[in-house]
Amino acid sequence: MHQMVFIHGPGAGGCAESFVHQLNHYPGSLAPTLPGHLEGQPCASVERYTEWLRGWLWSKGKRQDLVLVGYTLGGCIALQYGLDYPDEVKALVLMTTGMRPRERRPGTLEFRLKAAEDPATYREWLEAMRHQFLFMEPELGDRLVESHRKVGPLSQYRDFVVIDHFDVRNRVNGLKPALLLIKGADDPNLSPEYEREIHEAVPGSQYLKFKNAGHFPFAERPAEVNRAIDDFLASRT
C-alpha cells in the first residue's frame, strides 16, 4: 500500500488549504508544512528541504512506497527525493514544476521585496496573487489569499530564490520512480512548458494538460486531477 504525501509551494501553496480536495480524496494522506512557512527556519536549498522532508517522514515511520505529489517548490523537492532515494519512492506527481532555474519576468523578485516594506506594493502583490485563482471556486480562493497574507511576500521571495537555484537536468533521465506531470493549460503566468521538458527527458513518464486550469490545477480541477492520479497509480504501481 502506498503513502500519499502532498508537498506545497510558496505562499498560498500552504498545504492543508490548497490540497484540501486531495486530503479528502486520499484518507491517510500527509501534507507537511515546510519549515519557514510561518514556523521554524526556511531552508536555503531544495536539497535541504528534501532532507527535512525525509526526516519528517521517517519520524512517522514512512520510509517506503511513497507517492510524492509536489507543486512548484514542492515539485522540486519531490523530484530531488525521487532522484536521491529511489528505493523509498514508488511514484512522483509533479505540478507546475521545472527541472531547471525558472525564467521570470524582470522585477519579479524585487516586487516581493518591495511588497514586504511598502503597503501600496503589498496590496498590489495581494491582488496579483488573487488574479492567479481565476479558475478556482471563490471560497477556496479566499482561503488561499488569506494564506498568502499570513505567509507574506518575503517568504515567497525566499522560495522563488530556492526554486531558481534548482537544476537537475544532468540527472533527470536516470529517474527511477514512475512519473506523472500535470500542467494547467491556461496558467496566467506565461512561463515555458517546464513539465514537457521533464517529460521528454524521462523515458516512460506521462504528461497531462488540463484546460480551464491555471497555476493551481489540483485546486482548480480537483476531480479530474484526482482521477488522473488514480489512473496513473493503478497503471504504474
Side-chain angles (χ1 to χ4, degrees):
M1 185 65 187
H2 45 249
Q3 172 64 58
M4 305 289 292
V5 183
F6 294 92
I7 316 163
H8 68 82
C15 270
E17 292 300 325
S18 60
F19 286 122
V20 62
H21 295 294
Q22 285 69 40
L23 293 171
N24 289 337
H25 184 73
Y26 296 101
S29 57
L30 298 171
T33 297
L34 297 171
H37 296 72
L38 281 192
E39 291 186 14
Q41 286 298 310
C43 297
S45 66
V46 168
E47 291 89 342
R48 294 287 296 276
Y49 275 120
T50 303
E51 293 306 316
W52 178 90
L53 176 62
R54 189 168 183 246
W56 187 87
L57 288 169
W58 276 53
S59 74
K60 298 186 177 315
K62 310 299 183 186
R63 307 180 182 192
Q64 293 292 323
D65 299 321
L66 302 173
V67 176
L68 304 179
V69 184
Y71 162 77
T72 61
L73 173 61
C76 298
I77 295 165
L79 183 51
Q80 185 80 43
Y81 205 127
L83 287 166
D84 289 350
Y85 305 107
D87 296 341
E88 298 173 21
V89 180
K90 183 145 270 191
L92 300 173
V93 180
L94 308 182
M95 296 180 273
T96 321
T97 299
M99 62 178 171
R100 62 181 174 91
R102 290 292 172 118
E103 297 171 24
R104 300 195 188 275
R105 279 185 294 239
T108 297
L109 295 175
E110 292 79 1
F111 178 53
R112 270 83 190 162
L113 287 176
K114 191 176 177 191
E117 297 180 351
D118 176 58
T121 309
Y122 177 84
R123 287 192 293 273
E124 194 185 330
W125 168 75
L126 213 52
E127 204 44 53
M129 296 304 98
R130 187 183 289 278
H131 177 67
Q132 293 190 323
F133 306 151
L134 289 172
F135 301 98
M136 211 178 285
E137 59 200 51
E139 187 202 352
L140 181 56
D142 288 344
R143 273 156 53 199
L144 294 195
V145 167
E146 195 50 42
S147 289
H148 267 309
R149 198 191 304 275
K150 273 192 266 186
V151 177
L154 205 53
S155 172
Q156 193 179 51
Y157 165 80
R158 285 195 212 98
D159 286 347
F160 280 8
V161 171
V162 168
I163 291 168
D164 292 351
H165 284 86
F166 178 69
D167 193 340
V168 291
R169 283 174 287 186
N170 63 338
R171 297 179 61 196
V172 78
N173 63 354
L175 185 71
K176 291 191 173 73
L179 173 62
L180 169 64
L181 296 139
I182 291 174
K183 180 178 176 62
D186 301 300
D187 193 335
N189 292 8
L190 300 169
S191 55
E193 213 169 328
Y194 296 110
E195 299 82 1
R196 181 177 292 284
E197 293 176 4
I198 301 174
H199 171 55
E200 289 172 353
V202 179
S205 61
Q206 186 180 346
Y207 176 40
L208 300 174
K209 284 174 81 170
F210 287 87
K211 290 183 178 172
N212 298 318
H215 204 58
F216 292 80
F218 59 94
E220 296 162 328
R221 289 286 171 267
E224 294 96 317
V225 167
N226 291 349
R227 196 176 313 120
I229 294 172
D230 286 341
D231 291 347
F232 164 70
L233 292 176
S235 68
R236 301 295 179 99
T237 60

